[in-house]
Amino acid sequence: MHKLTLILGTILIISGCGTTPMRTSADGTYTISAQFGSLNGSWERASSSVNEQAFNFCNESGKKVVVIEEIQDGVYGLSPQRSTLRFYCTK
């Protein structure tokens, strides 16, 4: 039974995915994160997701996205790979 729990837990960790709501900072910048497990595309997919969301967010108001930084964390095969993007919109 313990082995089954360990296997199921491992599968959940490496297949986890999700996106955090966009946060607005006092300095007018925005931050958004996405994470995907090894089985779901990992850092490449997380990076693509946050960059696309930032582009769409700025584009909706007729502006362009300017990326300040993108931070990636997580351990391939052990934990979800997350990409966090900080950006602002400009004309």
Side-chain angles (χ1 to χ4, degrees):
M1 185 65 153
H2 180 65
K3 283 186 180 183
L4 179 60
T5 303
L6 181 60
I7 291 170
L8 290 175
T10 301
I11 290 171
L12 287 173
I13 288 172
I14 62 176
S15 66
C17 60
T19 302
T20 62
M22 193 169 311
R23 295 183 313 251
T24 305
S25 298
D27 64 0
T29 63
Y30 303 94
T31 304
I32 189 163
S33 295
Q35 69 179 28
F36 293 91
S38 301
L39 300 177
N40 289 324
S42 62
W43 285 300
E44 185 176 323
R45 187 169 175 198
S47 178
S48 177
S49 177
V50 293
N51 278 282
E52 181 179 336
Q53 290 179 64
F55 173 82
N56 290 339
F57 177 79
C58 292
N59 194 43
E60 285 176 4
S61 58
K63 297 180 179 180
K64 296 183 181 193
V65 66
V66 177
V67 174
I68 299 168
E69 69 178 340
E70 182 173 359
I71 300 170
Q72 296 179 327
D73 60 34
V75 179
Y76 186 81
L78 295 177
S79 65
Q81 287 80 61
R82 179 176 46 217
S83 183
T84 302
L85 188 75
R86 192 162 71 99
F87 69 97
Y88 64 92
C89 302
T90 188
K91 291 192 179 218

